[in-house]
Amino acid sequence: MFATLSRTALPDVPWDKWAKRIFLHVPLHLSPEGVATSGGRQRNVRDMAKLIYEKWGRECIILQKASKNWERLDSCGIPVIGIKSILSAYGDPGFGHATSRFVGKDDAIIYVGHEDAWPFFVKNAKGFHVGVWWDGPFQSYKKWLAGIRTEALFDACRSVLCVDTNIINWLRARSRTNQDSANRAIYIPNCVDLAMLPDPIRREAPNKPFRLLFARRYEIKRGPQLALDAVALLNKRGFPVELIMSTAEGQTGSEAIVKGAHERGIVSLVRVCENDMDSIFSLYAAADAAIVPTLWSEGTSYSCIEAIAAGLPVVTTTVGGLPNLVIPGFNGYVVPPHAEPIAKAIAELAEPNKWRQCRSNCLSMRAALSKLEWNRRILEWLKS
């Protein structure tokens, strides 16, 4: 473990003029024990770290919480330093204090998960906000504390990159004193690596049965049981449908999905599997549409973006940043997070003319959602 002279503020000038080493402050990148994990934030951090090192030519080090102090290299060769922290709470000031002490001369820091940094933010740092998580059924004090910490992040940072406009509008609505902070925010949605996606198969009509893809973790907030409910409704009404459900490699919950399918009498219609951050792309060619039935806590979902870029119209919900991506009737449908409207939207989307139109519109968005465009915009933000 190395140490540098601690700093409380960074120069208020573009980083490209002075920063030689960039720290990425995250709750977790590897597991607390230093083992590889997968998920949206992990992908954000991995891609940003590679961009800093390979395209900007700066040293990059990831700082994360850990069960004990350790140092590792991730799968891309990026150094990761684990700092012994409280792992039972989403917010450990001790970790924030420890990471601030790493920042020395010619160092900059980006907060990707700011709860653990509060109240020890380094002034004029940057933030990378991956979406509101406290819009679910949480106790009032947790929502209050999340609001305090989030306002502090935007106030302390030179700039905060946001994956959706939901957090920016939340900040404006919360207080009139937040207008300047909100106006410093930069909106850049998540992206897809088009080189990893299989070429879209030229088809004039969807499959029968209609194939839905649910490609996300089986957490309650991601809506896996809601997906099963919608498919059960469609099956009851005689609509031919199949559901492919893939979670991140190493994640739990597959048994609960199989049990839920059995209970609803649709186990023969549901395929359950696990994929890592790259092998997931092979599933998109087999599907006709994607379902992203989020209940709470969502930015611009990778599942949604990847589906759109693969030519799969998306049925999603009125949560977080999802309406930033899906325009009803254009590339899918945005409905309340209930089984009935989701089932109705799926049935409408399966009509061949509507499916072809939405599929074509999805494919027209590929370039705008590509990783090449994301790289360009992120690099511009990093240097600013």
Side-chain angles (χ1 to χ4, degrees):
M1 191 77 69
F2 63 86
T4 60
L5 182 65
S6 63
R7 299 170 68 185
T8 58
L10 305 180
D12 191 18
V13 293
W15 284 16
D16 201 38
K17 294 181 179 297
W18 63 272
K20 293 183 172 59
R21 182 169 65 179
I22 312 297
F23 288 108
L24 297 180
H25 170 289
V26 303
L28 293 175
H29 179 59
L30 305 179
S31 75
E33 293 72 38
V35 179
T37 60
S38 61
R41 178 178 279 142
Q42 288 89 333
R43 189 177 297 190
N44 282 140
V45 171
R46 177 195 69 178
D47 291 348
M48 182 172 287
K50 288 180 65 178
L51 193 64
I52 289 168
Y53 179 72
E54 296 175 0
K55 301 298 183 181
W56 194 18
R58 301 301 198 265
E59 184 181 358
C60 183
I61 298 172
I62 298 168
L63 303 175
Q64 72 159 75
K65 298 165 74 173
S67 55
K68 63 180 181 180
N69 294 336
W70 47 254
E71 297 184 25
R72 302 277 193 279
L73 295 178
D74 73 1
S75 61
C76 297
I78 303 297
V80 183
I81 297 177
I83 300 171
K84 186 175 181 180
S85 307
I86 298 172
L87 301 174
S88 59
Y90 195 38
D92 175 12
F95 178 65
H97 183 258
T99 57
S100 69
R101 294 182 61 82
F102 274 87
V103 183
K105 188 177 183 297
D106 301 327
D107 292 338
I109 188 167
I110 301 173
Y111 296 108
V112 190
H114 59 281
E115 283 81 8
D116 294 300
W118 180 87
F120 297 105
F121 294 115
V122 176
K123 192 72 174 176
N124 290 328
K126 291 182 181 178
F128 188 178
H129 201 283
V130 297
V132 168
W133 60 263
W134 59 91
D135 53 348
F138 299 104
Q139 293 175 294
S140 296
Y141 86 90
K142 288 188 176 182
K143 296 192 176 195
W144 171 81
L145 186 55
I148 295 296
R149 289 169 171 167
T150 301
E151 284 182 310
L153 170 77
F154 279 82
D155 183 60
C157 285
R158 175 182 177 82
S159 173
V160 179
L161 188 153
C162 304
V163 302
D164 62 35
T165 59
N166 184 42
I167 180 60
I168 302 172
N169 291 325
W170 171 90
L171 191 67
R172 286 200 179 97
R174 185 171 168 85
S175 170
R176 66 182 180 85
T177 63
N178 290 339
Q179 304 306 304
D180 288 343
S181 296
N183 291 339
R184 290 198 304 273
I186 304 297
Y187 166 52
I188 302 179
N190 287 323
C191 65
V192 59
D193 187 348
L194 295 179
M196 298 297 295
L197 276 175
D199 291 334
I201 298 173
R202 187 174 182 83
R203 289 192 285 145
E204 293 302 316
N207 292 291
K208 286 189 178 180
F210 193 68
R211 292 179 186 164
L212 292 171
L213 175 63
F214 176 102
R216 55 221 328 258
R217 290 193 292 267
Y218 298 147
E219 300 170 339
I220 293 174
K221 63 187 179 184
R222 301 303 182 210
Q225 299 298 326
L226 188 52
L228 293 175
D229 286 341
V231 168
L233 276 178
L234 290 167
N235 182 58
K236 184 177 180 180
R237 294 167 184 172
F239 180 88
V241 63
E242 293 177 349
L243 178 61
I244 304 168
M245 300 189 74
S246 172
T247 192
E249 186 178 37
Q251 296 291 323
T252 59
S254 296
E255 298 83 359
I257 296 300
V258 174
K259 180 181 177 182
H262 269 290
E263 291 172 347
R264 293 166 175 82
I266 57 171
V267 70
S268 63
L269 308 180
V270 180
R271 171 187 163 194
V272 179
C273 53
E274 293 184 9
N275 294 87
D276 62 24
M277 285 193 288
D278 295 327
S279 66
I280 183 64
F281 294 113
S282 64
L283 295 180
Y284 290 100
D288 298 303
I291 181 171
V292 185
T294 305
L295 299 176
W296 71 83
S297 185
E298 192 75 85
T300 44
S301 160
Y302 277 108
S303 298
C304 186
I305 288 173
E306 289 165 0
I308 291 170
L312 302 186
V314 178
V315 175
T316 191
T317 55
T318 52
V319 175
L322 291 167
N324 286 152
L325 300 172
V326 178
I327 302 171
F330 177 80
N331 59 342
Y333 289 97
V334 181
V335 299
H338 301 294
E340 178 62 44
I342 290 174
K344 180 180 178 182
I346 292 168
E348 289 184 13
L349 191 57
E351 193 278 319
N353 287 334
K354 172 57 70 175
W355 179 82
R356 278 193 296 271
Q357 177 188 14
C358 287
R359 177 176 170 82
S360 175
N361 292 337
C362 284
L363 292 174
S364 73
M365 298 173 65
R366 282 169 66 93
L369 298 173
S370 74
K371 192 173 181 182
L372 287 177
E373 177 62 15
W374 185 88
N375 285 349
R376 182 190 67 78
R377 297 185 66 190
I378 294 292
L379 194 57
E380 182 178 274
W381 174 74
L382 287 167
K383 291 180 176 182
S384 67

